[in-house]
């Protein structure tokens, strides 16, 4: 079962109070008729899917979303009974697995639903949300005729239920909204052709929910903003409420030593001490998702910004210290120490990527500690599961 301890000096802390607050803030921002679908794909954007799901549901979210069926099954195995939708493409041959586990699937073309109908066991039922491609160009139906055909196939089968219809915006987080509005118009055209309105109609990711709650119909698929991150840097000044960042990454100095002038550090001996200096070894590396591109970046030790010197290795890197520090001193790679904070956005900028990618890529080797009211409520050590 779930391993509740770990034996390495590197861990992620997930502040579930932040998740709770972020969900509640979105709920207050929406109208009473709108629900929150908490998006917990990719292990809850690296935070921990089960714990985030539980917290989001307690905070008032009514539905969960994942990317593929295995992620939904993992939540079910952990006892989560709330409705779950798989947003991505499932294989039509897996329709029975979805039915057995009460998982809602996304229908994204006619051929798929015909195959699913042939493959579904006679005694099973399954719910769908219909995905329309209004300009994302990824998954979904582009053609009105095809949409109506799909609905016909679903309606003709007593085993099938069309619970929802949705689309996804490509540019909801950008300043230029022309493409967003065009997609919204296109979605409305589709809706006007429907023979009936399914229970859930949704367009919005976090960016849409934050900026245009009135344009996401009766549900918002809340991902990045639930984790306390801004959907894009352009949106920083446009937030209707404050987001609380839930994820932090920590380690400890496991070896501290003094270098003399001219001594070198790590593979390739790319770093040379200019003078006598103190350095510390930190047990996290690229195999944890702390990639080699972090060479030269800063982490926090004793409230100081300290440089990562030499190459980042598979499981370790070396940091230059302001002075001698004890083994066991906390190293914060993402988060706050004293009056210094290294947020996920700073790390993303350093790596020339988006904030979404940062917690997702800190992988299963790094245990997650879950905090509520500053107390540890659970530890998940995926490597020993
Ligand atoms: C991941 C995903 C979301 C969540 O997007 P955020 O920008 O993280 O809020 C919403 N809808 C779909 C279809 C997704 O794949």
């Amino acid at each position: 079962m779930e391993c509740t301890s770990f034996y390495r000096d590197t861990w992620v802390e997930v502040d579930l109070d932040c998740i709770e607050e972020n969900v509640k803030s979105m709920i207050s921002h929406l109208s009473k008729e709108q629900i929150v679908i908490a998006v917990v794909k990719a292990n809850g954007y690296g935070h921990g899917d089960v714990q985030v799901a539980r917290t989001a549901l307690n905070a008032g979210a009514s539905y969960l979303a994942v990317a593929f069926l295995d992620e939904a099954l993992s939540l079910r195995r952990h006892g989560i009974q709330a409705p779950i939708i798989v947003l991505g493409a499932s294989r039509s041959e897996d329709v029975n697995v979805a039915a057995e586990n009460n998982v809602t699937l996304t229908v994204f073309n006619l051929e798929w639903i015909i195959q699913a109908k042939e493959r579904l066991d006679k005694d099973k039922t399954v719910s769908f949300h219909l995905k329309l491609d209004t300009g994302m160009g990824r998954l979904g139906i582009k053609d009105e005729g095809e949409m109506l055909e799909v609905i016909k196939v679903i309606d003709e089968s007593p085993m099938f239920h069309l619970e929802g219809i949705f689309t996804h915006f490509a540019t909801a987080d950008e300043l230029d909204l022309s493409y967003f509005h065009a997609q919204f118009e296109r979605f409305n055209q589709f809706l006007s052709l429907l023979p009936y309105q399914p229970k859930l109609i949704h367009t919005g990711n976090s960016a849409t929910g934050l900026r245009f709650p009135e344009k996401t119909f009766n549900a918002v698929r809340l991902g990045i903003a639930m984790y306390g991150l801004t959907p894009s840097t352009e949106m920083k000044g446009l937030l209707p409420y404050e987001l609380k960042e839930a994820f932090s990454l920590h380690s400890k100095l496991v070896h501290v030593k003094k270098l003399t002038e001219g001594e070198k550090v790590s593979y390739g001996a790319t770093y040379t001490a200019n003078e006598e200096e103190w350095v510390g070894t930190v047990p996290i590396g690229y195999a944890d998702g702390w990639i080699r591109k972090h060479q030269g970046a800063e982490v926090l030790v004793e409230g100081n910004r300290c440089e990562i010197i030499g190459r980042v290795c598979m499981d370790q890197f070396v940091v230059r210290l302001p002075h001698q520090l004890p083994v066991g001193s906390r190293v914060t790679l993402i988060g706050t120490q004293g009056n210094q904070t290294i947020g996920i956005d700073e790390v993303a900028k350093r790596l020339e990527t988006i904030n979404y990618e940062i917690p997702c890529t800190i992988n299963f080797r790094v245990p997650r500690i879950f905090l509520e009211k500053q107390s540890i409520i659970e530890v998940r050590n995926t490597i020993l599961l």
Side-chain angles (χ1 to χ4, degrees):
M1 278 311 290
E2 207 82 338
C3 179
T4 55
S5 54
F6 58 92
Y7 307 98
R8 72 178 296 199
D9 284 331
T10 296
W11 70 99
V12 162
E13 288 178 12
V14 177
D15 187 339
L16 294 173
D17 296 340
C18 296
I19 305 274
E20 178 185 354
E21 201 175 322
N22 294 328
V23 171
K24 287 184 171 165
S25 297
M26 179 54 85
I27 290 172
S28 329
H29 181 60
L30 296 172
S31 74
K32 287 215 165 42
E33 298 72 43
Q34 293 175 305
I35 66 158
V36 166
I37 301 173
V39 183
V40 294
K41 62 193 178 191
N43 190 28
Y45 292 37
H47 293 61
D49 53 359
V50 175
Q51 292 76 8
V52 170
R54 283 190 196 125
T55 302
L57 292 166
N58 283 336
S62 355
Y63 219 110
L64 301 170
V66 293
F68 51 88
L69 190 52
D70 308 71
E71 293 184 323
L73 299 186
S74 172
L75 293 171
R76 287 281 180 259
R77 228 173 284 126
H78 284 89
I80 290 182
Q81 291 175 350
I84 306 175
I85 178 170
V86 171
L87 295 171
S90 302
R91 300 184 295 217
S92 60
E93 59 262 45
D94 297 333
V95 67
N96 289 303
V97 179
E100 281 155 21
N101 290 278
N102 191 23
V103 172
T104 306
L105 296 179
T106 291
V107 197
F108 55 94
N109 74 29
L110 180 58
E111 201 186 332
W112 187 92
I113 194 73
I114 292 169
Q115 286 174 0
K117 188 173 179 175
E118 281 165 8
R119 286 170 158 153
L120 186 70
D121 296 344
K122 292 292 157 267
D123 56 334
K124 298 205 172 87
T125 60
V126 58
S127 281
F128 298 106
H129 287 206
L130 178 63
K131 176 80 185 278
L132 297 173
D133 178 8
T134 55
M136 180 72 181
R138 197 169 66 176
L139 200 66
I141 293 166
K142 280 188 351 180
D143 179 79
E144 286 107 340
E146 187 178 358
M147 174 184 78
L148 295 173
E149 290 277 325
V150 167
I151 293 175
K152 210 162 135 236
V153 174
I154 293 175
D155 289 349
E156 281 169 4
S157 167
M159 299 319 205
F160 283 172
H161 170 55
L162 183 64
E163 184 194 47
I165 187 158
F166 71 113
T167 194
H168 194 52
F169 292 121
T171 62
D173 58 351
E174 292 184 7
L175 293 182
D176 181 347
L177 289 168
S178 43
Y179 199 76
F180 173 86
H181 289 305
Q183 280 196 264
F184 184 70
E185 281 315 304
R186 180 81 186 114
F187 189 64
N188 277 315
Q189 280 172 7
F190 276 118
L191 292 187
S192 68
L193 299 172
L194 289 178
Y196 59 93
Q197 297 241 323
K199 188 171 112 195
L200 292 175
I201 302 179
H202 47 110
T203 59
N205 51 4
S206 296
T208 312
L210 289 165
R211 296 176 82 184
F212 310 108
E214 73 289 354
K215 289 201 160 59
T216 186
F217 298 84
N218 54 20
V220 61
R221 301 184 302 272
L222 181 65
I224 199 75
M226 174 167 68
Y227 302 97
L229 299 170
T230 312
S232 67
T233 43
E234 291 96 311
M235 273 189 62
K236 280 254 159 77
L238 304 172
L239 297 175
Y241 54 82
E242 197 191 335
L243 296 172
K244 298 282 169 67
E245 211 165 304
F247 183 100
S248 59
L249 174 62
H250 309 272
S251 189
K252 286 180 181 174
L253 299 177
V254 290
H255 198 175
V256 175
K257 58 184 76 173
K258 187 162 73 177
L259 298 182
T260 55
E261 188 190 335
E263 285 190 307
K264 294 180 185 295
V265 171
S266 193
Y267 287 116
T270 60
Y271 179 82
T272 309
N274 283 325
E275 54 192 346
E276 199 168 87
E277 55 194 41
W278 285 94
V279 300
T281 305
V282 185
I284 173 172
Y286 60 77
D288 300 296
W290 192 257
I291 62 176
R292 295 171 83 245
K293 211 170 167 185
H294 287 292
Q295 178 170 358
E298 291 170 335
V299 296
L300 303 176
V301 194
E302 268 213 332
N304 303 290
R305 285 182 170 256
C306 300
E307 187 186 332
I308 296 173
I309 55 172
R311 289 193 186 143
V312 173
C313 309
M314 189 182 286
D315 322 292
Q316 307 171 69
F317 66 77
V318 176
V319 65
R320 189 177 55 232
L321 304 173
H323 48 83
Q324 184 177 12
L325 286 171
V327 162
S329 300
R330 184 185 275 226
V331 179
T332 294
L333 296 85
I334 299 173
T336 300
Q337 275 193 10
N339 55 14
Q340 287 285 342
T341 296
I342 296 178
I344 290 181
D345 286 333
E346 176 181 334
V347 177
K349 192 167 176 219
R350 179 200 295 170
L351 297 183
E352 298 171 276
T353 184
I354 54 171
N355 53 18
Y356 291 73
E357 206 175 33
I358 305 303
C360 285
T361 47
I362 301 303
N363 63 35
F364 68 96
R365 292 220 309 179
V366 183
R368 267 63 174 171
I369 294 183
F370 298 94
L371 302 170
E372 260 179 32
K373 316 269 173 281
Q374 271 98 57
S375 305
I376 296 176
I377 60 149
E378 196 173 338
V379 175
R380 193 172 184 190
N381 183 0
T382 323
I383 211 164
L384 289 184
L385 279 188

